[in-house]
Amino acid sequence: FEAGSKRKYGAVKREPVGVVLAIAPFNYPVNLSASKIAPALIGGNVVIFKPPTQGSISGLLLTQVFAEAGIPAGVFNSVTGKGSEIGDYLIEHKEVNFINFTGSTPIGEKIGKLAGMRPIMLELGGKDAGIVLEDADLENAAKNIVAGAFSYSGQRCTAIKRVLVMDSVADKLAELIKEKVEKLTVGDPFDNADITTVIDTPSADFIEGLIKDAQEKGAKALTTVKREKNLIWPVVFDNVTTDMRIAWEEPFGPVLPIIRVKSVDEAVEIANKSEYGLQSAVFTKNFPLAFEIAEKLEVGTVHINNKTQRGPDSFPFLGIKGSGAGVQGIKYSIESMTRVKSIVFDI
Ligand code: NAP
């Protein structure tokens, strides 16, 4: 008898998990679908793709592209239908070995419960904070905050969804943000307007509810509050307080709350009180302090002096707490959707 493992040798390889169910949201119907499908196929899996109903035409065009690229029939399959109707059937299907989902937190939580012991990847909602310190380049901060908050009319998981700014520079930053937001054009996407209609009427109603709550509780609108059908003018609220819904809830629309804080500790505390933990941005010239804050923030990624964003597909992308489970990114996604097989022998 020989103790220990000196005589054991192992061959370790990765193998496909089997059938991957990929479910994508409406806001990036091609990118957030392809970033699930391609790594799953590279890992040797079979894919069942359910595009978002409001992005299903893009999803089907993507399906056609994969077919034209020569993916054999049956290896990549698309199933259309409303998630509320076919979702449970797909998720609970015994042949599905892995669920890769991007969408809202309530649906992600439901999927988590239905998945049982099968592995999942969830990329969910967010409430990304832009933290602005006293020594920040305010022009750069305002530029990135406005682009981060209002591109795609705010319908991005990684949109900047709240600004936490030090009191001493808050007036100046608010003025710079207001100037830039007033320059955003509002209207038809075919006219290249910056702000266009949000996805549907329930979403517009929800956003309006957040706006009204903020107004009733004393937030100061720096820009015009206006809605025409599903078109919501970009609105910046200053003097937002933590009793307002807009301080915590994800609008997924063109609304940006500014919360004034007295210290870095207060900024970190409010940032971390969120149920979400996707990303944050820190604006400062003090890099050691930026790293210190980054270490304390309960999020997947912290950007320094730039807007929150998914970034290159090769970077790890993840949310913690209510923002998700698992890590995306080309290498990380392939690893998630394959499993380790060890073959061990003694010599
Ligand atoms: P959603 O309503 O959760 O829908 C996402 C996908 O899930 C759609 O394909 C939808 O199908 C499907 N679905 C709906 N109900 C389902 C069910 N019961 N079972 C299975 N699938 C179901 O989200 P969304 O409104 O499209 O997207 C906005 C949300 O996604 C925001 O919260 C945003 O923050 C989040 N998001 C997160 C990331 C990230 O990477 N962290 C990226 C983008 C978006 P139908 O379209 O047929 O309803």
Side-chain angles (χ1 to χ4, degrees), residues 39-83:
L41 292 174
I42 291 166
N45 299 289
V46 163
V47 175
I48 312 286
F49 168 49
K50 195 213 98 55
T53 299
Q54 288 153 323
S56 48
I57 294 174
S58 310
L60 291 176
L61 284 171
L62 188 65
T63 306
Q64 196 180 331
V65 168
F66 274 101
E68 283 169 13
I71 302 289
V75 173
F76 176 53
N77 313 274
S78 292
V79 183
T80 55
K82 287 199 104 182

mmCIF file of all heavy atoms in Angstrom, residues 39-83:
data_model
loop_
_atom_site.group_PDB
_atom_site.id
_atom_site.type_symbol
_atom_site.label_atom_id
_atom_site.label_comp_id
_atom_site.label_asym_id
_atom_site.label_seq_id
_atom_site.Cartn_x
_atom_site.Cartn_y
_atom_site.Cartn_z
ATOM 1 N N PRO A 39 -20.481 30.373 -28.319
ATOM 2 C CA PRO A 39 -19.661 29.583 -27.383
ATOM 3 C C PRO A 39 -20.269 28.211 -27.100
ATOM 4 O O PRO A 39 -19.533 27.241 -26.888
ATOM 5 C CB PRO A 39 -19.631 30.422 -26.108
ATOM 6 C CG PRO A 39 -20.139 31.759 -26.468
ATOM 7 C CD PRO A 39 -20.929 31.640 -27.715
ATOM 8 N N ALA A 40 -21.600 28.116 -27.100
ATOM 9 C CA ALA A 40 -22.237 26.806 -26.863
ATOM 10 C C ALA A 40 -21.866 25.849 -27.995
ATOM 11 O O ALA A 40 -21.512 24.685 -27.746
ATOM 12 C CB ALA A 40 -23.750 26.963 -26.764
ATOM 13 N N LEU A 41 -21.917 26.339 -29.227
ATOM 14 C CA LEU A 41 -21.579 25.471 -30.371
ATOM 15 C C LEU A 41 -20.086 25.133 -30.362
ATOM 16 O O LEU A 41 -19.700 23.991 -30.608
ATOM 17 C CB LEU A 41 -21.956 26.160 -31.697
ATOM 18 C CG LEU A 41 -23.465 26.353 -31.955
ATOM 19 C CD1 LEU A 41 -23.680 27.176 -33.222
ATOM 20 C CD2 LEU A 41 -24.190 25.018 -32.058
ATOM 21 N N ILE A 42 -19.260 26.130 -30.055
ATOM 22 C CA ILE A 42 -17.806 25.869 -29.997
ATOM 23 C C ILE A 42 -17.515 24.783 -28.960
ATOM 24 O O ILE A 42 -16.652 23.932 -29.167
ATOM 25 C CB ILE A 42 -17.035 27.180 -29.660
ATOM 26 C CG1 ILE A 42 -17.128 28.148 -30.830
ATOM 27 C CG2 ILE A 42 -15.568 26.889 -29.321
ATOM 28 C CD1 ILE A 42 -16.707 29.576 -30.497
ATOM 29 N N GLY A 43 -18.287 24.778 -27.874
ATOM 30 C CA GLY A 43 -18.110 23.762 -26.835
ATOM 31 C C GLY A 43 -18.640 22.396 -27.240
ATOM 32 O O GLY A 43 -18.559 21.459 -26.454
ATOM 33 N N GLY A 44 -19.230 22.304 -28.425
ATOM 34 C CA GLY A 44 -19.693 21.000 -28.919
ATOM 35 C C GLY A 44 -21.133 20.673 -28.562
ATOM 36 O O GLY A 44 -21.571 19.523 -28.688
ATOM 37 N N ASN A 45 -21.878 21.693 -28.106
ATOM 38 C CA ASN A 45 -23.252 21.448 -27.676
ATOM 39 C C ASN A 45 -24.258 21.572 -28.814
ATOM 40 O O ASN A 45 -23.968 22.140 -29.869
ATOM 41 C CB ASN A 45 -23.635 22.475 -26.597
ATOM 42 C CG ASN A 45 -22.757 22.379 -25.383
ATOM 43 O OD1 ASN A 45 -22.849 21.436 -24.622
ATOM 44 N ND2 ASN A 45 -21.859 23.363 -25.210
ATOM 45 N N VAL A 46 -25.464 21.094 -28.532
ATOM 46 C CA VAL A 46 -26.625 21.359 -29.375
ATOM 47 C C VAL A 46 -27.345 22.544 -28.733
ATOM 48 O O VAL A 46 -27.397 22.645 -27.502
ATOM 49 C CB VAL A 46 -27.527 20.101 -29.431
ATOM 50 C CG1 VAL A 46 -28.919 20.426 -29.941
ATOM 51 C CG2 VAL A 46 -26.871 19.034 -30.304
ATOM 52 N N VAL A 47 -27.874 23.461 -29.563
ATOM 53 C CA VAL A 47 -28.493 24.674 -29.009
ATOM 54 C C VAL A 47 -29.976 24.758 -29.391
ATOM 55 O O VAL A 47 -30.349 24.522 -30.537
ATOM 56 C CB VAL A 47 -27.759 25.940 -29.528
ATOM 57 C CG1 VAL A 47 -28.472 27.212 -29.065
ATOM 58 C CG2 VAL A 47 -26.309 25.960 -29.045
ATOM 59 N N ILE A 48 -30.789 25.074 -28.386
ATOM 60 C CA ILE A 48 -32.186 25.461 -28.623
ATOM 61 C C ILE A 48 -32.242 26.945 -28.294
ATOM 62 O O ILE A 48 -31.951 27.343 -27.162
ATOM 63 C CB ILE A 48 -33.178 24.740 -27.672
ATOM 64 C CG1 ILE A 48 -32.921 23.239 -27.606
ATOM 65 C CG2 ILE A 48 -34.617 25.072 -28.026
ATOM 66 C CD1 ILE A 48 -33.347 22.469 -28.795
ATOM 67 N N PHE A 49 -32.579 27.748 -29.259
ATOM 68 C CA PHE A 49 -32.569 29.206 -29.089
ATOM 69 C C PHE A 49 -33.997 29.729 -29.077
ATOM 70 O O PHE A 49 -34.757 29.492 -30.007
ATOM 71 C CB PHE A 49 -31.767 29.811 -30.256
ATOM 72 C CG PHE A 49 -31.885 31.299 -30.408
ATOM 73 C CD1 PHE A 49 -31.716 32.155 -29.326
ATOM 74 C CD2 PHE A 49 -32.131 31.859 -31.662
ATOM 75 C CE1 PHE A 49 -31.820 33.533 -29.484
ATOM 76 C CE2 PHE A 49 -32.228 33.228 -31.827
ATOM 77 C CZ PHE A 49 -32.079 34.067 -30.742
ATOM 78 N N LYS A 50 -34.347 30.418 -27.981
ATOM 79 C CA LYS A 50 -35.652 31.097 -27.945
ATOM 80 C C LYS A 50 -35.423 32.595 -27.994
ATOM 81 O O LYS A 50 -34.995 33.216 -27.019
ATOM 82 C CB LYS A 50 -36.446 30.750 -26.679
ATOM 83 C CG LYS A 50 -37.898 31.170 -26.854
ATOM 84 C CD LYS A 50 -38.576 31.619 -25.589
ATOM 85 C CE LYS A 50 -38.644 33.095 -25.339
ATOM 86 N NZ LYS A 50 -39.237 33.972 -26.328
ATOM 87 N N PRO A 51 -35.662 33.215 -29.167
ATOM 88 C CA PRO A 51 -35.439 34.668 -29.240
ATOM 89 C C PRO A 51 -36.537 35.407 -28.482
ATOM 90 O O PRO A 51 -37.604 34.849 -28.235
ATOM 91 C CB PRO A 51 -35.531 34.968 -30.743
ATOM 92 C CG PRO A 51 -36.187 33.811 -31.380
ATOM 93 C CD PRO A 51 -36.134 32.646 -30.437
ATOM 94 N N PRO A 52 -36.276 36.676 -28.115
ATOM 95 C CA PRO A 52 -37.327 37.470 -27.489
ATOM 96 C C PRO A 52 -38.449 37.698 -28.510
ATOM 97 O O PRO A 52 -38.163 37.877 -29.705
ATOM 98 C CB PRO A 52 -36.617 38.787 -27.154
ATOM 99 C CG PRO A 52 -35.470 38.853 -28.121
ATOM 100 C CD PRO A 52 -35.052 37.451 -28.371
ATOM 101 N N THR A 53 -39.685 37.715 -28.064
ATOM 102 C CA THR A 53 -40.792 37.929 -29.010
ATOM 103 C C THR A 53 -40.627 39.280 -29.711
ATOM 104 O O THR A 53 -40.830 39.387 -30.912
ATOM 105 C CB THR A 53 -42.141 37.847 -28.253
ATOM 106 O OG1 THR A 53 -42.222 36.538 -27.699
ATOM 107 C CG2 THR A 53 -43.321 38.100 -29.173
ATOM 108 N N GLN A 54 -40.201 40.311 -28.940
ATOM 109 C CA GLN A 54 -40.062 41.639 -29.547
ATOM 110 C C GLN A 54 -38.766 41.779 -30.358
ATOM 111 O O GLN A 54 -38.478 42.837 -30.888
ATOM 112 C CB GLN A 54 -40.143 42.720 -28.475
ATOM 113 C CG GLN A 54 -41.552 42.877 -27.948
ATOM 114 C CD GLN A 54 -41.579 43.405 -26.527
ATOM 115 O OE1 GLN A 54 -40.730 43.041 -25.715
ATOM 116 N NE2 GLN A 54 -42.539 44.241 -26.222
ATOM 117 N N GLY A 55 -38.005 40.708 -30.467
ATOM 118 C CA GLY A 55 -36.798 40.726 -31.310
ATOM 119 C C GLY A 55 -36.732 39.463 -32.135
ATOM 120 O O GLY A 55 -35.646 39.027 -32.530
ATOM 121 N N SER A 56 -37.895 38.858 -32.379
ATOM 122 C CA SER A 56 -37.861 37.526 -32.998
ATOM 123 C C SER A 56 -37.448 37.578 -34.470
ATOM 124 O O SER A 56 -36.865 36.608 -34.972
ATOM 125 C CB SER A 56 -39.194 36.804 -32.812
ATOM 126 O OG SER A 56 -40.239 37.648 -33.141
ATOM 127 N N ILE A 57 -37.714 38.692 -35.152
ATOM 128 C CA ILE A 57 -37.303 38.760 -36.569
ATOM 129 C C ILE A 57 -35.766 38.767 -36.638
ATOM 130 O O ILE A 57 -35.159 38.020 -37.413
ATOM 131 C CB ILE A 57 -37.923 39.991 -37.268
ATOM 132 C CG1 ILE A 57 -39.441 39.798 -37.329
ATOM 133 C CG2 ILE A 57 -37.342 40.181 -38.668
ATOM 134 C CD1 ILE A 57 -40.215 40.974 -37.842
ATOM 135 N N SER A 58 -35.146 39.563 -35.746
ATOM 136 C CA SER A 58 -33.671 39.556 -35.695
ATOM 137 C C SER A 58 -33.174 38.158 -35.348
ATOM 138 O O SER A 58 -32.192 37.666 -35.914
ATOM 139 C CB SER A 58 -33.156 40.515 -34.627
ATOM 140 O OG SER A 58 -33.754 41.756 -34.757
ATOM 141 N N GLY A 59 -33.863 37.509 -34.409
ATOM 142 C CA GLY A 59 -33.461 36.167 -33.984
ATOM 143 C C GLY A 59 -33.538 35.173 -35.135
ATOM 144 O O GLY A 59 -32.637 34.337 -35.307
ATOM 145 N N LEU A 60 -34.581 35.292 -35.940
ATOM 146 C CA LEU A 60 -34.729 34.346 -37.050
ATOM 147 C C LEU A 60 -33.716 34.640 -38.168
ATOM 148 O O LEU A 60 -33.238 33.716 -38.829
ATOM 149 C CB LEU A 60 -36.167 34.353 -37.575
ATOM 150 C CG LEU A 60 -37.163 33.749 -36.564
ATOM 151 C CD1 LEU A 60 -38.595 33.852 -37.067
ATOM 152 C CD2 LEU A 60 -36.822 32.297 -36.249
ATOM 153 N N LEU A 61 -33.390 35.919 -38.349
ATOM 154 C CA LEU A 61 -32.334 36.239 -39.338
ATOM 155 C C LEU A 61 -31.002 35.650 -38.880
ATOM 156 O O LEU A 61 -30.227 35.122 -39.675
ATOM 157 C CB LEU A 61 -32.215 37.754 -39.521
ATOM 158 C CG LEU A 61 -33.325 38.389 -40.362
ATOM 159 C CD1 LEU A 61 -33.247 39.907 -40.304
ATOM 160 C CD2 LEU A 61 -33.248 37.920 -41.813
ATOM 161 N N LEU A 62 -30.764 35.720 -37.573
ATOM 162 C CA LEU A 62 -29.540 35.141 -37.022
ATOM 163 C C LEU A 62 -29.535 33.623 -37.243
ATOM 164 O O LEU A 62 -28.505 33.041 -37.612
ATOM 165 C CB LEU A 62 -29.475 35.461 -35.522
ATOM 166 C CG LEU A 62 -28.200 35.105 -34.783
ATOM 167 C CD1 LEU A 62 -27.032 35.930 -35.294
ATOM 168 C CD2 LEU A 62 -28.382 35.356 -33.283
ATOM 169 N N THR A 63 -30.681 33.008 -37.071
ATOM 170 C CA THR A 63 -30.814 31.563 -37.301
ATOM 171 C C THR A 63 -30.440 31.229 -38.742
ATOM 172 O O THR A 63 -29.709 30.261 -39.019
ATOM 173 C CB THR A 63 -32.278 31.132 -37.031
ATOM 174 O OG1 THR A 63 -32.643 31.576 -35.727
ATOM 175 C CG2 THR A 63 -32.436 29.621 -37.106
ATOM 176 N N GLN A 64 -30.927 32.079 -39.646
ATOM 177 C CA GLN A 64 -30.630 31.873 -41.071
ATOM 178 C C GLN A 64 -29.127 31.994 -41.332
ATOM 179 O O GLN A 64 -28.556 31.201 -42.078
ATOM 180 C CB GLN A 64 -31.389 32.942 -41.855
ATOM 181 C CG GLN A 64 -31.512 32.671 -43.330
ATOM 182 C CD GLN A 64 -32.279 33.814 -44.008
ATOM 183 O OE1 GLN A 64 -33.119 34.475 -43.403
ATOM 184 N NE2 GLN A 64 -31.963 34.050 -45.258
ATOM 185 N N VAL A 65 -28.491 32.954 -40.665
ATOM 186 C CA VAL A 65 -27.047 33.142 -40.840
ATOM 187 C C VAL A 65 -26.290 31.894 -40.389
ATOM 188 O O VAL A 65 -25.376 31.428 -41.077
ATOM 189 C CB VAL A 65 -26.575 34.390 -40.045
ATOM 190 C CG1 VAL A 65 -25.064 34.452 -39.964
ATOM 191 C CG2 VAL A 65 -27.119 35.657 -40.688
ATOM 192 N N PHE A 66 -26.692 31.340 -39.247
ATOM 193 C CA PHE A 66 -26.029 30.115 -38.766
ATOM 194 C C PHE A 66 -26.244 28.972 -39.761
ATOM 195 O O PHE A 66 -25.330 28.195 -40.020
ATOM 196 C CB PHE A 66 -26.544 29.727 -37.362
ATOM 197 C CG PHE A 66 -25.804 30.424 -36.253
ATOM 198 C CD1 PHE A 66 -26.351 31.525 -35.618
ATOM 199 C CD2 PHE A 66 -24.555 29.977 -35.839
ATOM 200 C CE1 PHE A 66 -25.668 32.178 -34.597
ATOM 201 C CE2 PHE A 66 -23.858 30.616 -34.815
ATOM 202 C CZ PHE A 66 -24.420 31.720 -34.191
ATOM 203 N N ALA A 67 -27.453 28.883 -40.328
ATOM 204 C CA ALA A 67 -27.733 27.804 -41.292
ATOM 205 C C ALA A 67 -26.848 27.991 -42.526
ATOM 206 O O ALA A 67 -26.231 27.036 -43.023
ATOM 207 C CB ALA A 67 -29.208 27.814 -41.667
ATOM 208 N N GLU A 68 -26.759 29.258 -43.008
ATOM 209 C CA GLU A 68 -25.933 29.534 -44.188
ATOM 210 C C GLU A 68 -24.456 29.261 -43.913
ATOM 211 O O GLU A 68 -23.691 28.911 -44.822
ATOM 212 C CB GLU A 68 -26.121 30.994 -44.644
ATOM 213 C CG GLU A 68 -27.425 31.182 -45.397
ATOM 214 C CD GLU A 68 -27.760 32.656 -45.616
ATOM 215 O OE1 GLU A 68 -26.889 33.519 -45.419
ATOM 216 O OE2 GLU A 68 -28.921 32.928 -45.989
ATOM 217 N N ALA A 69 -24.051 29.417 -42.675
ATOM 218 C CA ALA A 69 -22.646 29.165 -42.318
ATOM 219 C C ALA A 69 -22.343 27.672 -42.278
ATOM 220 O O ALA A 69 -21.189 27.278 -42.098
ATOM 221 C CB ALA A 69 -22.328 29.806 -40.968
ATOM 222 N N GLY A 70 -23.377 26.835 -42.388
ATOM 223 C CA GLY A 70 -23.151 25.389 -42.505
ATOM 224 C C GLY A 70 -23.317 24.588 -41.234
ATOM 225 O O GLY A 70 -22.896 23.434 -41.173
ATOM 226 N N ILE A 71 -23.941 25.188 -40.209
ATOM 227 C CA ILE A 71 -24.204 24.404 -38.988
ATOM 228 C C ILE A 71 -25.198 23.286 -39.371
ATOM 229 O O ILE A 71 -26.253 23.572 -39.939
ATOM 230 C CB ILE A 71 -24.820 25.298 -37.882
ATOM 231 C CG1 ILE A 71 -23.896 26.468 -37.550
ATOM 232 C CG2 ILE A 71 -25.166 24.482 -36.636
ATOM 233 C CD1 ILE A 71 -22.634 26.134 -36.823
ATOM 234 N N PRO A 72 -24.879 22.034 -39.089
ATOM 235 C CA PRO A 72 -25.769 20.945 -39.528
ATOM 236 C C PRO A 72 -27.171 21.057 -38.916
ATOM 237 O O PRO A 72 -27.326 21.544 -37.788
ATOM 238 C CB PRO A 72 -25.057 19.682 -39.015
ATOM 239 C CG PRO A 72 -23.683 20.095 -38.648
ATOM 240 C CD PRO A 72 -23.701 21.559 -38.357
ATOM 241 N N ALA A 73 -28.158 20.597 -39.666
ATOM 242 C CA ALA A 73 -29.545 20.629 -39.182
ATOM 243 C C ALA A 73 -29.628 19.892 -37.848
ATOM 244 O O ALA A 73 -29.005 18.856 -37.651
ATOM 245 C CB ALA A 73 -30.459 19.968 -40.207
ATOM 246 N N GLY A 74 -30.373 20.439 -36.926
ATOM 247 C CA GLY A 74 -30.569 19.783 -35.628
ATOM 248 C C GLY A 74 -29.554 20.202 -34.575
ATOM 249 O O GLY A 74 -29.782 20.011 -33.390
ATOM 250 N N VAL A 75 -28.447 20.804 -35.015
ATOM 251 C CA VAL A 75 -27.434 21.228 -34.036
ATOM 252 C C VAL A 75 -27.801 22.607 -33.461
ATOM 253 O O VAL A 75 -27.608 22.881 -32.289
ATOM 254 C CB VAL A 75 -26.028 21.248 -34.670
ATOM 255 C CG1 VAL A 75 -24.996 21.849 -33.727
ATOM 256 C CG2 VAL A 75 -25.624 19.840 -35.072
ATOM 257 N N PHE A 76 -28.352 23.439 -34.322
ATOM 258 C CA PHE A 76 -28.820 24.752 -33.865
ATOM 259 C C PHE A 76 -30.288 24.899 -34.248
ATOM 260 O O PHE A 76 -30.643 24.834 -35.421
ATOM 261 C CB PHE A 76 -27.971 25.869 -34.491
ATOM 262 C CG PHE A 76 -28.478 27.231 -34.138
ATOM 263 C CD1 PHE A 76 -28.684 27.586 -32.810
ATOM 264 C CD2 PHE A 76 -28.766 28.168 -35.112
ATOM 265 C CE1 PHE A 76 -29.169 28.833 -32.469
ATOM 266 C CE2 PHE A 76 -29.244 29.430 -34.783
ATOM 267 C CZ PHE A 76 -29.443 29.756 -33.456
ATOM 268 N N ASN A 77 -31.129 25.076 -33.247
ATOM 269 C CA ASN A 77 -32.584 25.077 -33.464
ATOM 270 C C ASN A 77 -33.196 26.317 -32.834
ATOM 271 O O ASN A 77 -32.807 26.691 -31.721
ATOM 272 C CB ASN A 77 -33.212 23.853 -32.794
ATOM 273 C CG ASN A 77 -32.449 22.582 -33.119
ATOM 274 O OD1 ASN A 77 -32.698 21.950 -34.124
ATOM 275 N ND2 ASN A 77 -31.488 22.236 -32.264
ATOM 276 N N SER A 78 -34.141 26.939 -33.531
ATOM 277 C CA SER A 78 -34.823 28.098 -32.944
ATOM 278 C C SER A 78 -36.285 27.760 -32.689
ATOM 279 O O SER A 78 -36.927 27.098 -33.504
ATOM 280 C CB SER A 78 -34.759 29.283 -33.909
ATOM 281 O OG SER A 78 -33.435 29.711 -33.995
ATOM 282 N N VAL A 79 -36.764 28.242 -31.555
ATOM 283 C CA VAL A 79 -38.171 28.036 -31.198
ATOM 284 C C VAL A 79 -38.735 29.398 -30.849
ATOM 285 O O VAL A 79 -38.228 30.055 -29.940
ATOM 286 C CB VAL A 79 -38.295 27.142 -29.941
ATOM 287 C CG1 VAL A 79 -39.758 26.872 -29.617
ATOM 288 C CG2 VAL A 79 -37.528 25.850 -30.102
ATOM 289 N N THR A 80 -39.756 29.851 -31.588
ATOM 290 C CA THR A 80 -40.350 31.141 -31.237
ATOM 291 C C THR A 80 -41.635 30.910 -30.443
ATOM 292 O O THR A 80 -42.231 29.841 -30.501
ATOM 293 C CB THR A 80 -40.687 31.960 -32.502
ATOM 294 O OG1 THR A 80 -41.518 31.168 -33.345
ATOM 295 C CG2 THR A 80 -39.441 32.364 -33.248
ATOM 296 N N GLY A 81 -42.023 31.928 -29.706
ATOM 297 C CA GLY A 81 -43.238 31.837 -28.895
ATOM 298 C C GLY A 81 -43.053 32.693 -27.665
ATOM 299 O O GLY A 81 -41.925 33.038 -27.307
ATOM 300 N N LYS A 82 -44.157 33.066 -27.056
ATOM 301 C CA LYS A 82 -44.063 33.940 -25.868
ATOM 302 C C LYS A 82 -43.463 33.180 -24.694
ATOM 303 O O LYS A 82 -43.882 32.065 -24.397
ATOM 304 C CB LYS A 82 -45.456 34.457 -25.496
ATOM 305 C CG LYS A 82 -45.959 35.495 -26.474
ATOM 306 C CD LYS A 82 -47.068 36.299 -25.870
ATOM 307 C CE LYS A 82 -46.570 37.598 -25.492
ATOM 308 N NZ LYS A 82 -46.811 38.655 -24.992
ATOM 309 N N GLY A 83 -42.519 33.801 -24.051
ATOM 310 C CA GLY A 83 -41.870 33.159 -22.908
ATOM 311 C C GLY A 83 -42.868 32.748 -21.845
ATOM 312 O O GLY A 83 -42.742 31.692 -21.227
#
